[in-house]
Amino acid sequence: MKQTLKNVFSSPKFLIGFILFMVLLITSLAWPLFADFGPLQNVVQKNGGFAAPGTYVNVADAVELVKDNSSVKFDVDTSANRLAHRLDADSRQMMVDWLHTYATAEYIPDINADDAAKIQELTIDDMYAVCADWEKYYDFSVMPKTIKKAERNKYNQIDKKVQTMLSNEALILASKGENGLQEDCKVPMNAFVNTKDVASRYTLILGSDNFGRDVFTELTSSILVSMRIGLIAGCIATLIGMTLGLLAGFIGGVLDNIITFFTNLFTVIPSFVLLILIANAVGGSHRGVTLIALLIGFTGWTWTARSVRSQVLSLRNRDHVNMSKISGHSTVKIIIQDILPFVASYVVMAFILQISSGILAEAQLSMLGLGPATTEVSTLGLMMHWALSFNAHTQGMWWAFLPVIFSIALITFSLNLMNTGLDQVFNPQLRD
């Protein structure tokens, strides 16, 4: 056993796959101990919950730092940064289009409205010029009534943005004092606070999803749950496939024909199609994490059974097996002592692949809306389902689905790499 383990861990492919898998597993176990929020805790209420990755500071705490003179005033033009950050390509295009279409005859355009590439890459000076022209010529009343209301509102929103961004006057925040009267708090446009001085700040490594959950914390929890599904499904599928394969290959005869018939029957019907039908028949109210894992395991054993049977057929007439038969050993004892040790390495490899298949099957089921129906835990498949349901991919909210795709790919890659490494160790034809 010691020499076998030494040979296994001397395989570069197995070692790399094992390290990748353990890093994911340890991260999933350790991160919840340090996370600020629970995996399914709603912490963000913005834009349907989606918030981009970054460090967020409490606005009230920042204003308090300004009020007690803990802020620092920089001798810089802050409007330039505001223009670059808040005027996106669509807003710039709309501004240029409006100036070309509705501005008075006095307006001399500096930028061609059809040059979309140049509009997207405007310099700060160009943006200042466009905004200055906008302030001078924009008039809501000159637009024809045939323009859609949503477009008219968009122009007004852009106008309000421009007025705010070009202003360097102090921002006045109204509040109620202890006497109940309104007090004004002036926040200079060039006032800055050190984020380390802000009392409440939180870092969302991968932002938040549509429910306002911390994606990274939810992801680590989902990886652990998906691994558990894969492990349960892999154990069941491997145990069923190994048992049927051993019995069919060693005993043969009528039992072999019966087992082979059912194996071929389940092989002809794709296991995933069968899984979809069963999951749909069970109903959403009963589809828990464990039940989905059991369904995946009970429908994914066929290829393991066929492979183990073919291995046993080449072993059952070996000399040591015949000696056990002559000695009067029982069938069970012969299978356990004389057959199983020779197929154990193959069973382990099949088990690793079954775990990978179980994780992928759950992800596929969940994306179809047939995965675990639970609000207590999340899985990688459920995260993908939620991201697709709330159109994260069309809104550019990449953090809601790309890390999930990467995690699924990394888990399956590590498991398949481990399997390839084991195959190189135990398969004589692949040994160097």
Side-chain angles (χ1 to χ4, degrees), residues 133 239 288 430:
D133 289 338
L239 185 62
L430 299 178

Side-chain angles (χ1 to χ4, degrees), residues 126 140 220 257 283 305 356 409 420:
D126 290 334
F140 177 78
T220 55
N257 292 333
S356 178
T420 304

Side-chain angles (χ1 to χ4, degrees), residues 57 61-66 70-72 74 191-198:
V57 297
D61 291 344
V63 172
E64 286 297 325
L65 291 174
V66 177
S70 297
S71 61
V72 178
F74 283 83
F192 291 79
V193 295
N194 192 326
T195 56
K196 293 182 179 179
D197 295 334
V198 179

Side-chain angles (χ1 to χ4, degrees), residues 94-272:
M94 290 184 69
M95 291 173 68
V96 173
D97 288 342
W98 192 96
L99 289 170
H100 279 76
T101 307
Y102 302 110
T104 63
E106 300 175 0
Y107 171 66
I108 302 176
D110 296 323
I111 301 172
N112 188 346
D114 297 328
D115 193 353
K118 185 176 181 180
I119 292 173
Q120 292 182 14
E121 299 175 0
L122 288 178
T123 64
I124 293 297
D125 290 337
D126 290 334
M127 290 171 62
Y128 269 127
V130 171
C131 289
D133 289 338
W134 177 269
E135 276 195 309
K136 183 177 181 181
Y137 295 108
Y138 176 74
D139 184 357
F140 177 78
S141 62
V142 302
M143 288 187 292
K145 296 182 179 181
T146 54
I147 293 181
K148 294 180 180 179
K149 184 177 180 181
E151 188 174 352
R152 298 165 73 92
N153 291 339
K154 179 68 175 177
Y155 280 124
N156 285 334
Q157 291 173 7
I158 292 174
D159 185 51
K160 290 179 181 178
K161 275 187 179 182
V162 171
Q163 300 300 330
T164 303
M165 288 185 291
L166 292 179
S167 173
N168 278 316
E169 297 179 359
L171 182 65
I172 299 177
L173 302 177
S175 61
K176 285 188 177 181
E178 295 179 357
N179 55 5
L181 300 176
Q182 179 173 300
E183 294 181 354
D184 291 339
C185 170
K186 293 185 178 181
V187 181
M189 287 295 185
N190 61 346
F192 291 79
V193 295
N194 192 326
T195 56
K196 293 182 179 179
D197 295 334
V198 179
S200 301
R201 59 182 184 275
Y202 297 98
T203 299
L204 298 177
I205 298 175
L206 292 176
S208 65
D209 66 0
N210 50 286
F211 297 112
R213 303 164 179 165
D214 180 3
V215 170
F216 187 76
T217 303
E218 185 181 4
L219 183 66
T220 55
S221 175
S222 298
I223 289 174
L224 203 58
V225 177
S226 292
M227 284 183 177
R228 192 176 80 197
I229 291 175
L231 182 63
I232 295 173
C235 287
I236 294 172
T238 304
L239 185 62
I240 295 174
M242 180 187 68
T243 303
L244 295 179
L246 288 170
L247 292 175
F250 181 73
I251 297 176
V254 177
L255 182 61
D256 182 25
N257 292 333
I258 295 173
I259 293 176
T260 303
F261 170 77
F262 281 104
T263 303
N264 292 336
L265 183 64
F266 277 90
T267 304
V268 171
I269 304 173
S271 60
F272 188 66

Side-chain angles (χ1 to χ4, degrees), residues 331-374:
T331 299
V332 175
K333 187 175 182 179
I334 294 174
I335 290 175
I336 294 175
Q337 291 186 350
D338 301 321
I339 301 293
L340 187 57
F342 289 88
V343 298
S345 59
Y346 185 84
V347 170
V348 172
M349 289 188 287
F351 174 62
I352 292 175
L353 289 180
Q354 289 285 11
I355 294 176
S356 178
S357 298
I359 293 172
L360 288 174
E362 183 278 323
Q364 292 170 328
L365 270 182
S366 295
M367 288 180 66
L368 294 175
L370 296 173
T374 175

